[in-house]
């Protein structure tokens, strides 16, 4: 939020159209979303499913999260579709990828096939742990902190 605020303060007539950030149930970024939406900046989630195809040892697997699995069973869908529906119902857009044709089709169908209720959204909100799968400040620490 601080970098966006600084940008808007120094350039009030030119603002970003989209802020693409890591965003998933383990990193809900609620304050950032509120700030962007207040200023008319679209929020776009990258890695909305975590990083199921690439995980470092000991990292959580979002798609194995029991709360997502329970909600998926309730809606007769997949945890991935639940995570995507959660992001979309928060008025953010998503960028996701897959090497599986089946998963690509499921991702495309998520907006029309899964409607989460307030209880589902509240349950998913409890998953936030401010966990980043992408940690450039750890990988390239010599450049200093990347996120505030």
């Amino acid at each position: 939020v601080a970098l966006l605020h600084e940008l808007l303060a120094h350039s009030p007539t030119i603002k970003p159209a989209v802020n693409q950030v890591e965003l998933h149930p383990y990193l809900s970024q609620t304050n950032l979303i509120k700030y962007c939406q207040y200023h008319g900046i679209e929020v776009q989630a990258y890695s909305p499913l975590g990083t199921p195809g690439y995980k470092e040892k000991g990292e959580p697997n979002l798609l194995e999260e029991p709360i997502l699995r329970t909600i998926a069973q309730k809606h007769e869908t997949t945890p991935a579709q639940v995570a995507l529906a959660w992001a979309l119902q928060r008025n953010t857009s998503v960028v996701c990828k897959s090497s599986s044709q089946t998963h690509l089709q499921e991702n495309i169908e998520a907006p029309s096939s899964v409607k989460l209720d307030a209880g589902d959204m509240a349950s998913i909100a409890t998953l936030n742990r401010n966990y980043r799968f992408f940690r450039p400040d750890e990988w390239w620490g010599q450049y200093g902190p990347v996120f505030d």
Side-chain angles (χ1 to χ4, degrees):
V1 172
L3 291 176
L4 274 175
H5 186 73
E6 183 179 341
L7 174 68
L8 293 173
H10 293 296
S11 181
T13 58
I14 302 173
K15 68 178 180 182
V18 178
N19 188 14
Q20 187 182 64
V21 296
E22 181 178 354
L23 178 64
H24 44 74
Y26 288 160
L27 184 63
S28 64
Q29 306 250 37
T30 302
N31 289 337
L32 177 64
I33 292 170
K34 287 178 184 176
Y35 185 87
C36 287
Q37 290 173 344
Y38 177 81
H39 289 283
I41 300 168
E42 174 73 25
V43 176
Q44 185 174 67
Y46 68 78
S47 294
L49 307 178
T51 55
Y54 173 79
K55 285 187 338 105
E56 292 184 13
K57 188 175 182 175
E59 281 192 312
N61 185 336
L62 182 64
L63 301 182
E64 293 177 3
E65 174 59 50
I67 289 174
L68 294 182
R69 293 174 86 62
T70 299
I71 294 170
Q73 287 176 339
K74 171 183 163 184
H75 292 279
E76 299 179 353
T77 190
T78 67
Q81 286 183 309
V82 169
L84 293 175
W86 170 82
L88 295 169
Q89 284 182 224
R90 296 175 80 215
N91 296 315
T92 64
S93 59
V94 297
V95 175
C96 50
K97 63 178 188 139
S98 178
S99 57
S100 160
Q101 185 68 31
T102 302
H103 291 161
L104 286 171
Q105 188 63 40
E106 289 173 353
N107 293 347
I108 291 168
E109 292 171 359
S112 61
S113 65
V114 182
K115 301 294 184 222
L116 303 175
D117 60 37
D120 297 332
M121 295 295 285
S123 292
I124 296 169
T126 68
L127 297 176
N128 184 51
R129 24 176 118 161
N130 294 319
Y131 186 85
R132 295 182 186 278
F133 289 99
F134 295 93
R135 299 177 300 280
D137 49 339
E138 286 181 21
W139 301 332
W140 306 299
Q142 69 269 23
Y143 300 112
V146 176
F147 303 109
D148 58 355

